[in-house]
Amino acid sequence: MIRRVAAIAIVVVLAACPPVAAAAEQSLEAIRDSAVTWLKQNRTLPGARMVAEADPLDSRLRLAACAAPLEVSVPGNRPISARVSVVVHCPAPGGWTARVPVRVHMFTDVLVTTRPLARGDGLGADDLRAEERDIASLAYGYVASLDQVGGRALVRPLNAGTVLTPGMLAGRQAVRVGDAVSMEASVDGVMIRADGVAMGAGDTGARVKVRNASSGKILDAVVSGPGSVAVLP
């Protein structure tokens, strides 16, 4: 009888005690949202439109609810590409750090060729048009403004519809292919000038071939300035 009363008392005591609350967990969805929101607010280029989607985190991941605002960053301040690893950190005591893979698309206008172009061609407004492209997927970069191509020539031929990249452009050209140039040559100490046509392109100091407009003879020369070359002996 005594044992029975004691057992009933234990049951009553246990029933009277409130259940132990489970530790609050951090929402994985909130972690993903914070990574996407931070990217859109801090890494979208002026005039561009970003579309970002975080990959699902491992559902087995259990993190304590963070008592402080989450801190978000991209390691090394790397340029934004199509796949970005975003670090989300809980700065509270005993906090945690999670890495969130995010797929990124960033759309803005870039310059695209309007027609086939040859190596050495200079570029003008008629050769290029602006089109919206996903620059996050352009591994070799892009050119956004005609100001970036003025006075420069192509280092290789391009098909129509090609996105122009910085690596496709040579240095600024003082002389371009087909330009009329003034040729200067020193013969026995006497400076002789003649009209010619550039067969190559380059900035001051570059070596190019030129054709004498009168004789048709092909000569080696060095670019001495805009529209002028010094014929080599």
Side-chain angles (χ1 to χ4, degrees):
M1 184 69 176
I2 294 175
R3 286 197 295 269
R4 185 176 180 185
V5 171
I8 293 173
I10 291 171
V11 171
V12 171
V13 170
L14 290 175
C17 293
V20 177
E25 288 187 359
Q26 177 69 45
S27 163
L28 300 185
E29 191 66 26
I31 295 174
R32 295 172 68 238
D33 289 346
S34 65
V36 169
T37 299
W38 185 89
L39 278 177
K40 289 183 175 181
Q41 292 178 347
N42 295 275
R43 301 305 294 275
T44 301
L45 295 176
R49 174 174 58 90
M50 179 185 284
V51 177
E53 182 179 0
D55 289 347
L57 297 177
D58 191 334
S59 60
R60 296 170 296 178
L61 188 62
R62 296 289 183 268
L63 300 171
C66 189
L70 298 177
E71 295 179 348
V72 186
S73 63
V74 173
N77 199 33
R78 298 187 182 98
I80 293 300
S81 58
R83 300 282 297 182
V84 182
S85 179
V86 181
V87 174
V88 180
H89 174 64
C90 172
W96 42 261
T97 298
R99 289 184 177 270
V100 183
V102 181
R103 287 168 287 159
V104 175
H105 302 278
M106 186 139 50
F107 299 97
T108 192
D109 285 345
V110 303
L111 294 183
V112 177
T113 56
T114 60
R115 61 184 181 86
L117 296 167
R119 179 180 182 273
D121 280 354
L123 296 170
D126 293 338
D127 303 316
L128 302 162
R129 66 173 178 267
E131 287 187 5
E132 186 180 68
R133 296 295 177 93
D134 178 11
I135 60 175
S137 64
L138 298 178
Y140 297 101
Y142 62 96
V143 177
S145 170
L146 283 171
D147 294 340
Q148 297 173 259
V149 303
R152 304 178 70 181
L154 294 173
V155 298
R156 63 182 180 87
L158 300 177
N159 294 323
T162 301
V163 174
L164 193 65
T165 69
M168 296 173 180
L169 299 171
R172 295 192 181 276
Q173 308 297 306
V175 168
R176 294 181 293 183
V177 175
D179 281 357
V181 294
S182 173
M183 302 187 304
E184 297 181 345
S186 178
V187 179
D188 296 329
V190 177
M191 187 63 66
I192 298 175
R193 292 178 174 82
D195 293 331
V197 177
M199 301 182 68
D203 204 349
T204 302
R207 184 164 174 165
V208 296
K209 288 189 179 297
V210 293
R211 184 179 72 248
N212 186 304
S214 298
S215 67
K217 187 176 181 179
I218 306 300
L219 304 167
D220 289 320
V222 173
V223 179
S224 53
S228 63
V229 299
V231 177
L232 296 172

